[in-house]
Amino acid sequence: MNGHMNGHTSGTKLANGALSPYDDQHAVNEIRKFVIDICRQNGGGHGGSAIGMAPLAVALWRHTMRYNPSNPNWFDRDRFVLSNGHAAMLLYAMLHITGYKDMTVDEIKMYADAKAVDKTTGKWKSTICHGHPEREVPGVEVTTGPLGQGIANAVGLAIASKHYAATFNKEDHQLVASRIYCTTGDGCIQEGVALEAMAIAGRLGLSNLTLCYDNNDVTCDGPLNWIVTEDTNAKVRAMGWHVIDVFDGDTSVENIIAALEAAKLEKDRPTFINIRTTIGYGTTTAGTFKSHHGTYSDDDAAKHLAPGVTSTHQLSQNALEYFRSTVEEGKKWEDNWNLKLEIYSIAYPKEAKLFKERMEGKKDFERTLTSLSIPSELQPTRQFNGTVFNELISMVPNIIAGGADLWNSNQMGDQSTRILDSLHPEGRVIRYGIREHAMASISNGLAAYSPGGILPITATFFMFYLYAAPGVRMGALSNLQVIHVATHDSIGEGQNGQTHQPVELDSLYRAMPNLLYIRPADAEEVLGAWLTALGAKETPSIISLARDPAVTAIPKTSRLQVQRGGYVILEKENATVTLISCGSELQFAYPAAQRLDSEGIPTRVVSMPCMKLFERQPQEYQAGSAKIPEASIPVSIVLDSVLSNSPHIISVEAYVASMWARFCTASIAMDSFGYSGLGRENFARFGIDDDGIVSKVKRHIGETNGKKRRHWTLLK
Amino acid sequence: MNGHMNGHTSGTKLANGALSPYDDQHAVNEIRKFVIDICRQNGGGHGGSAIGMAPLAVALWRHTMRYNPSNPNWFDRDRFVLSNGHAAMLLYAMLHITGYKDMTVDEIKMYADAKAVDKTTGKWKSTICHGHPEREVPGVEVTTGPLGQGIANAVGLAIASKHYAATFNKEDHQLVASRIYCTTGDGCIQEGVALEAMAIAGRLGLSNLTLCYDNNDVTCDGPLNWIVTEDTNAKVRAMGWHVIDVFDGDTSVENIIAALEAAKLEKDRPTFINIRTTIGYGTTTAGTFKSHHGTYSDDDAAKHLAPGVTSTHQLSQNALEYFRSTVEEGKKWEDNWNLKLEIYSIAYPKEAKLFKERMEGKKDFERTLTSLSIPSELQPTRQFNGTVFNELISMVPNIIAGGADLWNSNQMGDQSTRILDSLHPEGRVIRYGIREHAMASISNGLAAYSPGGILPITATFFMFYLYAAPGVRMGALSNLQVIHVATHDSIGEGQNGQTHQPVELDSLYRAMPNLLYIRPADAEEVLGAWLTALGAKETPSIISLARDPAVTAIPKTSRLQVQRGGYVILEKENATVTLISCGSELQFAYPAAQRLDSEGIPTRVVSMPCMKLFERQPQEYQAGSAKIPEASIPVSIVLDSVLSNSPHIISVEAYVASMWARFCTASIAMDSFGYSGLGRENFARFGIDDDGIVSKVKRHIGETNGKKRRHWTLLK
């Protein structure tokens, strides 16, 4: 066994030394009954798979996993991921029954928040028992729900654990030994993101990962064979996994435990345990899709009642005693581990210092970024970004980066950092393969392992962050710091053509809560983008970069000002026009402004690399009435109006303009997909180079002369 | 063999009856040389896999596929899909060499458009030889490029062909017999979307689909074993495919032909031909990643020169004769088929009439939609949508619909339509399984088979259209009519919580060119949404629906007005406030307006179910100065201002507000992810119900009293 104090057969030694007749099957029954209670709170709620997985839950929480309910964040705990997140109530039940103090019966009664207004105060209550588990809740490792994400997260957690172990463990000091347990239903393993992640897990030989498949042959709509007839075991085996069958998963906790133990013995491959279960086992709708999101009858509840358990949400004292030995066990585990760390610290003081810094999430990047100098020749932002990235990865041990087979095109690689693979889990560059979605979702797992300990960085073309979008979103929603390096943005992407030119993808990411989409215009702003992204400790960022060289040097850009989202780079008294731009287009807007000015149209220029940061600035800074001083003044001092009172405020960007309207009176933008031409020529083709800007602005001013337009306009 | 007039061995009978010494290997050499010529035009361009696949190309175009270069749209042609779309030059080379008249050498010289400005006119030229193939080009079936999409498209095409055959073929009249050929590199089959689609192909037993794997062991970044070590054949076999190996794909056209022929004999499964090739075969960078997007030397070109071929872009007369027999062959195939259709029309006049209508893309939906009556009780829009959908699918034979295992929750199923599966390809409801991305991309293939012949409809929760987004985007970019039914939109989704509440996803779809995101408020507007979506013959639509019942009956909504995007439903003289809203939130905005009015703040209400359609209206209609009459007047007559001159124009929607700013002075909106509560309560929790609207509007008017705000504001 694995250090749990009690065996897994009938008869249990209680804390007081007496033998209890209470055993695993009693525990399974009570958990099932408890789940039915939760379902009956408000007429439904995904109880079927929770009931079916109860034996697995007992096997995991009572007999297999190492964790400390008193400190859900104990560093070396085993991690549990409920990829089939709709079975959340099972996780809540197990956290409660094993003694996580925040998970009270009162909270569980709020599951999915049926009665959200407090009757006495009239105020909105919030529960930690969300419809799907969220990682802010103690004991929940990652936020799951959208199917497939959890499996990819678990792969990330497993990579993280292997990486820590390979980096810090010594022959005689096994400091990091955490294993990752993940459950999946029939849903997750149909999803592309999970299939991508499982392929990666197989290739990396993640032997510390056990994926438990709740194989109940039923999905939301009906029997599984309506949609899946393939040989799942063979498919998973072909991906390099160790596959174990459990045929009596409804009743045999023992066989599940045996499989979990066998998984621990496997040294080269991740393990997939195919557990045959019955959805809603023992209820009137058992084995049917009606059990997936159904209600349960009094009879259903009664069938699973443990002796002495009668009322709703009641667990027997036996049950609590049976599981809450884990509270003491968990404390001992952590105490022992702390002792291990002390001994390690004496033997390896240097490594121990680094390890503790990682545990605390410390990282020092400011020095690198504030000291880096700008190249003298013009470079594409993706190229200088590569320089910055390579400096950072050499200075910041927390970084684990990786790309989706465009590492060379992304210009990320200087080849000096070791690749992370099955032989070298201490490596820090992951070759994700052509699996963008899994790359993003695995990165969430890396970031979630121990906050700040690992800073995941991903890279691919910006267009392919549409493939990755559900993963990026889950990172934003889960407050995970991941930095996504997106090269080849806008129509400057060039010859690959419209299929590769993300003219509207910025709209998704600029609208997404808790995500920073940062689009620097030049090398100086690339440094600002990294300063910003690295400083955002609970927020993912996308740094959006251009394929092609800048053709103009842009004066007055500032790495410090980037952190304010938008700032003036060319000021002008009594300006008629303010041009706002970012990315490659700023190199066109700047000379366009100078030309307009020379033709008698006073024009100022704002660089706005990040709308979301700009909107966080004080109103006076955004659009006050005061004049704005030169841009080079430190961030802490300047507090004036970026969006001046010029009659025309016009955005310039080779994307669909939707996101700009709130700042502008008009926009120069795309309103179609792009074109397969050279990058530089594409800007000219669509009238978004300096010639195009000058002529569109002049025409617009002519047309609106005297008339004040009320509504925003797209300039053609 | 398969009806091609010439065998595939050395020595070829020319049109004049003479034997030519020119054979397959000559052809392979010339194609390779031609590809190198194209690469050398502007220093690169994905020639490596095109060179490696040349023998496969000869096997397909010269010996296997049935097509008519003179009529690229001949109905019963075999379809070819280049899923590894970056090898576009191979497709262009083959279309040229087989005699597609648009594909001239001059066009090919414009590949990726190196010199896009016409020197004499100074105007922008456009080429049909895009960096990745686009379906507007004769001979290109679907637009590919983002990896994995093409495989899913091919699955859609194969379903379409099977469906037509099962629907119209008779024992003695095999009217539809087209097969689908798809090529993939190492990239596509790593992508989740392809793995999902291949699982579906296996389950549906698509024996008319042959997927040819250009297995060259190299990807963009380096050797394949950096990222893939799994047993691909075993994995594909586990998914229900027939797997054939070709070990000498660089040199043996004959063995490839044999495999393609074997695939035709397989009656129950799709076939995967694993062809070992060398990227950039015969060049100095052969077998390395440098060949993936490399340039080639004079030596490289010389090696592949066919006898008598010397100059750039020159093909020998032998080559043209060798391939252009297909022009005559193709005509004969089509002529024979037309004859078949004539005979069929005599034998089965009724079926023939239906078949011809499908060929022409005819469908009659207007009668159904204009005559459908509105239910007397309040229903969630998803529920009434189900009624409409079931009427439509029973009336319009073109519809093939399907869901991603939420068919019941989507309320789409009335169980009366036959399921499309391997035994019943004539069915019209596809169970896609939990594979949203493949669902969207397969639907593009269904729509592309024969324009208008099949109208694909998909369904899942709106949130999961983020998984499907790359597929939806490709449909928009390819001008394919697909209707996506997205239920459970906004925070009204309810108890599943923030992981399932798409607060920002509308921004992506509202910004996406050539896509209509339509968010009806009630049953009347649901009919309008369908009228609009069904009428948009080259544009995909998303119909966005609410989970929960409306609580208010909304007067003056109009199915006809929906097609204008936005219209007034409550008019008011000298209004202080215009509220613009859509979806579930209109039911709150309407009574809020009445309450504001009764408290002395004259308020009008605009329903705006589709921003993109609204922006297509004449400027006078959008924001002119004239007053607007009652909303119930027919679309063709009303031409007045929706966005009046009321001092405050305020949008109300439970999404992030970014998309509204261009129409508004302020917005009531979300600026965070949602919450796991009851749907109705969520609107109250976030202040977007009638109480919230009234109080936010009053506070805003108080704050701005006298001051005119210049910039858009988010009301808190």
mmCIF file of all heavy atoms in Angstrom, chain B residues 293-315:
data_model
loop_
_atom_site.group_PDB
_atom_site.id
_atom_site.type_symbol
_atom_site.label_atom_id
_atom_site.label_comp_id
_atom_site.label_asym_id
_atom_site.label_seq_id
_atom_site.Cartn_x
_atom_site.Cartn_y
_atom_site.Cartn_z
ATOM 1 N N HIS B 293 9.989 24.418 -45.714
ATOM 2 C CA HIS B 293 9.644 25.729 -46.254
ATOM 3 C C HIS B 293 10.916 26.321 -46.837
ATOM 4 O O HIS B 293 11.287 27.440 -46.541
ATOM 5 C CB HIS B 293 9.090 26.630 -45.142
ATOM 6 C CG HIS B 293 8.497 27.915 -45.639
ATOM 7 N ND1 HIS B 293 9.050 28.658 -46.643
ATOM 8 C CD2 HIS B 293 7.385 28.581 -45.277
ATOM 9 C CE1 HIS B 293 8.309 29.728 -46.858
ATOM 10 N NE2 HIS B 293 7.296 29.707 -46.050
ATOM 11 N N GLY B 294 11.575 25.534 -47.685
ATOM 12 C CA GLY B 294 12.901 25.957 -48.114
ATOM 13 C C GLY B 294 12.951 26.431 -49.554
ATOM 14 O O GLY B 294 11.985 26.339 -50.298
ATOM 15 N N THR B 295 14.109 26.926 -49.888
ATOM 16 C CA THR B 295 14.384 27.231 -51.283
ATOM 17 C C THR B 295 15.142 26.036 -51.856
ATOM 18 O O THR B 295 15.622 25.187 -51.114
ATOM 19 C CB THR B 295 15.286 28.472 -51.398
ATOM 20 O OG1 THR B 295 16.409 28.256 -50.550
ATOM 21 C CG2 THR B 295 14.537 29.700 -50.966
ATOM 22 N N TYR B 296 15.245 25.994 -53.157
ATOM 23 C CA TYR B 296 15.977 24.893 -53.780
ATOM 24 C C TYR B 296 16.985 25.449 -54.761
ATOM 25 O O TYR B 296 16.788 26.504 -55.353
ATOM 26 C CB TYR B 296 14.987 23.929 -54.457
ATOM 27 C CG TYR B 296 14.112 23.234 -53.424
ATOM 28 C CD1 TYR B 296 12.819 23.682 -53.169
ATOM 29 C CD2 TYR B 296 14.610 22.176 -52.673
ATOM 30 C CE1 TYR B 296 12.034 23.074 -52.202
ATOM 31 C CE2 TYR B 296 13.838 21.566 -51.705
ATOM 32 C CZ TYR B 296 12.548 22.018 -51.474
ATOM 33 O OH TYR B 296 11.797 21.420 -50.515
ATOM 34 N N SER B 297 18.056 24.696 -54.899
ATOM 35 C CA SER B 297 19.172 25.176 -55.737
ATOM 36 C C SER B 297 18.970 24.810 -57.209
ATOM 37 O O SER B 297 18.075 24.050 -57.554
ATOM 38 C CB SER B 297 20.466 24.524 -55.246
ATOM 39 O OG SER B 297 20.383 23.123 -55.480
ATOM 40 N N ASP B 298 19.860 25.345 -58.045
ATOM 41 C CA ASP B 298 19.870 24.965 -59.459
ATOM 42 C C ASP B 298 20.038 23.457 -59.589
ATOM 43 O O ASP B 298 19.379 22.804 -60.399
ATOM 44 C CB ASP B 298 21.019 25.660 -60.186
ATOM 45 C CG ASP B 298 20.736 27.143 -60.400
ATOM 46 O OD1 ASP B 298 19.549 27.532 -60.268
ATOM 47 O OD2 ASP B 298 21.678 27.891 -60.673
ATOM 48 N N ASP B 299 20.930 22.924 -58.779
ATOM 49 C CA ASP B 299 21.174 21.477 -58.808
ATOM 50 C C ASP B 299 19.902 20.700 -58.503
ATOM 51 O O ASP B 299 19.591 19.694 -59.148
ATOM 52 C CB ASP B 299 22.223 21.094 -57.757
ATOM 53 C CG ASP B 299 23.633 21.326 -58.278
ATOM 54 O OD1 ASP B 299 23.746 21.754 -59.456
ATOM 55 O OD2 ASP B 299 24.581 21.103 -57.513
ATOM 56 N N ASP B 300 19.177 21.161 -57.455
ATOM 57 C CA ASP B 300 17.929 20.502 -57.085
ATOM 58 C C ASP B 300 16.983 20.445 -58.276
ATOM 59 O O ASP B 300 16.343 19.432 -58.550
ATOM 60 C CB ASP B 300 17.246 21.251 -55.931
ATOM 61 C CG ASP B 300 18.023 21.110 -54.625
ATOM 62 O OD1 ASP B 300 18.736 20.088 -54.466
ATOM 63 O OD2 ASP B 300 17.894 22.006 -53.775
ATOM 64 N N ALA B 301 16.904 21.571 -58.963
ATOM 65 C CA ALA B 301 15.993 21.636 -60.112
ATOM 66 C C ALA B 301 16.488 20.709 -61.223
ATOM 67 O O ALA B 301 15.710 19.938 -61.790
ATOM 68 C CB ALA B 301 15.884 23.071 -60.614
ATOM 69 N N ALA B 302 17.785 20.758 -61.492
ATOM 70 C CA ALA B 302 18.337 19.982 -62.601
ATOM 71 C C ALA B 302 18.102 18.485 -62.426
ATOM 72 O O ALA B 302 17.779 17.775 -63.377
ATOM 73 C CB ALA B 302 19.834 20.271 -62.740
ATOM 74 N N LYS B 303 18.232 18.036 -61.152
ATOM 75 C CA LYS B 303 18.048 16.612 -60.869
ATOM 76 C C LYS B 303 16.719 16.063 -61.348
ATOM 77 O O LYS B 303 16.591 14.898 -61.679
ATOM 78 C CB LYS B 303 18.104 16.399 -59.355
ATOM 79 C CG LYS B 303 19.440 15.911 -58.868
ATOM 80 C CD LYS B 303 19.366 15.634 -57.385
ATOM 81 C CE LYS B 303 20.749 15.847 -56.788
ATOM 82 N NZ LYS B 303 20.740 16.077 -55.370
ATOM 83 N N HIS B 304 15.727 16.901 -61.305
ATOM 84 C CA HIS B 304 14.383 16.420 -61.622
ATOM 85 C C HIS B 304 13.948 16.772 -63.037
ATOM 86 O O HIS B 304 12.795 16.585 -63.386
ATOM 87 C CB HIS B 304 13.384 16.993 -60.618
ATOM 88 C CG HIS B 304 13.563 16.417 -59.251
ATOM 89 N ND1 HIS B 304 13.311 15.095 -58.971
ATOM 90 C CD2 HIS B 304 13.993 16.967 -58.092
ATOM 91 C CE1 HIS B 304 13.565 14.864 -57.694
ATOM 92 N NE2 HIS B 304 13.991 15.976 -57.143
ATOM 93 N N LEU B 305 14.859 17.321 -63.811
ATOM 94 C CA LEU B 305 14.460 17.720 -65.152
ATOM 95 C C LEU B 305 14.070 16.511 -65.993
ATOM 96 O O LEU B 305 14.786 15.520 -66.061
ATOM 97 C CB LEU B 305 15.593 18.478 -65.843
ATOM 98 C CG LEU B 305 15.792 19.919 -65.353
ATOM 99 C CD1 LEU B 305 16.881 20.592 -66.191
ATOM 100 C CD2 LEU B 305 14.494 20.695 -65.455
ATOM 101 N N ALA B 306 12.946 16.624 -66.615
ATOM 102 C CA ALA B 306 12.541 15.597 -67.569
ATOM 103 C C ALA B 306 13.290 15.849 -68.874
ATOM 104 O O ALA B 306 13.709 16.972 -69.135
ATOM 105 C CB ALA B 306 11.040 15.676 -67.780
ATOM 106 N N PRO B 307 13.462 14.810 -69.679
ATOM 107 C CA PRO B 307 14.170 14.988 -70.949
ATOM 108 C C PRO B 307 13.487 16.078 -71.774
ATOM 109 O O PRO B 307 12.266 16.100 -71.905
ATOM 110 C CB PRO B 307 14.025 13.631 -71.645
ATOM 111 C CG PRO B 307 13.627 12.676 -70.559
ATOM 112 C CD PRO B 307 12.942 13.458 -69.518
ATOM 113 N N GLY B 308 14.273 17.003 -72.263
ATOM 114 C CA GLY B 308 13.725 18.043 -73.121
ATOM 115 C C GLY B 308 13.148 19.217 -72.357
ATOM 116 O O GLY B 308 12.663 20.180 -72.935
ATOM 117 N N VAL B 309 13.189 19.137 -71.028
ATOM 118 C CA VAL B 309 12.647 20.239 -70.232
ATOM 119 C C VAL B 309 13.821 21.000 -69.654
ATOM 120 O O VAL B 309 14.635 20.434 -68.940
ATOM 121 C CB VAL B 309 11.775 19.699 -69.087
ATOM 122 C CG1 VAL B 309 11.235 20.846 -68.256
ATOM 123 C CG2 VAL B 309 10.670 18.847 -69.648
ATOM 124 N N THR B 310 13.924 22.262 -69.961
ATOM 125 C CA THR B 310 15.088 23.000 -69.489
ATOM 126 C C THR B 310 14.731 24.241 -68.678
ATOM 127 O O THR B 310 15.313 24.489 -67.637
ATOM 128 C CB THR B 310 15.958 23.442 -70.677
ATOM 129 O OG1 THR B 310 15.108 24.110 -71.626
ATOM 130 C CG2 THR B 310 16.644 22.263 -71.327
ATOM 131 N N SER B 311 13.784 24.979 -69.148
ATOM 132 C CA SER B 311 13.618 26.300 -68.540
ATOM 133 C C SER B 311 12.601 26.287 -67.407
ATOM 134 O O SER B 311 11.844 25.347 -67.213
ATOM 135 C CB SER B 311 13.172 27.296 -69.607
ATOM 136 O OG SER B 311 11.842 27.003 -69.968
ATOM 137 N N THR B 312 12.617 27.350 -66.652
ATOM 138 C CA THR B 312 11.729 27.546 -65.530
ATOM 139 C C THR B 312 10.266 27.436 -65.962
ATOM 140 O O THR B 312 9.870 27.958 -66.989
ATOM 141 C CB THR B 312 11.984 28.956 -64.958
ATOM 142 O OG1 THR B 312 13.344 29.015 -64.580
ATOM 143 C CG2 THR B 312 11.121 29.205 -63.757
ATOM 144 N N HIS B 313 9.477 26.731 -65.138
ATOM 145 C CA HIS B 313 8.035 26.606 -65.356
ATOM 146 C C HIS B 313 7.672 25.946 -66.678
ATOM 147 O O HIS B 313 6.551 26.074 -67.152
ATOM 148 C CB HIS B 313 7.319 27.969 -65.279
ATOM 149 C CG HIS B 313 7.362 28.582 -63.913
ATOM 150 N ND1 HIS B 313 8.289 29.522 -63.563
ATOM 151 C CD2 HIS B 313 6.597 28.391 -62.813
ATOM 152 C CE1 HIS B 313 8.099 29.897 -62.308
ATOM 153 N NE2 HIS B 313 7.091 29.223 -61.822
ATOM 154 N N GLN B 314 8.638 25.258 -67.277
ATOM 155 C CA GLN B 314 8.317 24.598 -68.543
ATOM 156 C C GLN B 314 7.972 23.136 -68.304
ATOM 157 O O GLN B 314 8.667 22.436 -67.568
ATOM 158 C CB GLN B 314 9.534 24.702 -69.476
ATOM 159 C CG GLN B 314 9.195 24.394 -70.922
ATOM 160 C CD GLN B 314 10.446 24.213 -71.756
ATOM 161 O OE1 GLN B 314 11.435 24.927 -71.575
ATOM 162 N NE2 GLN B 314 10.415 23.256 -72.663
ATOM 163 N N LEU B 315 6.882 22.709 -68.884
ATOM 164 C CA LEU B 315 6.522 21.287 -68.837
ATOM 165 C C LEU B 315 6.630 20.735 -70.242
ATOM 166 O O LEU B 315 6.330 21.434 -71.221
ATOM 167 C CB LEU B 315 5.096 21.118 -68.337
ATOM 168 C CG LEU B 315 4.886 21.440 -66.852
ATOM 169 C CD1 LEU B 315 3.411 21.659 -66.550
ATOM 170 C CD2 LEU B 315 5.466 20.344 -65.968
#
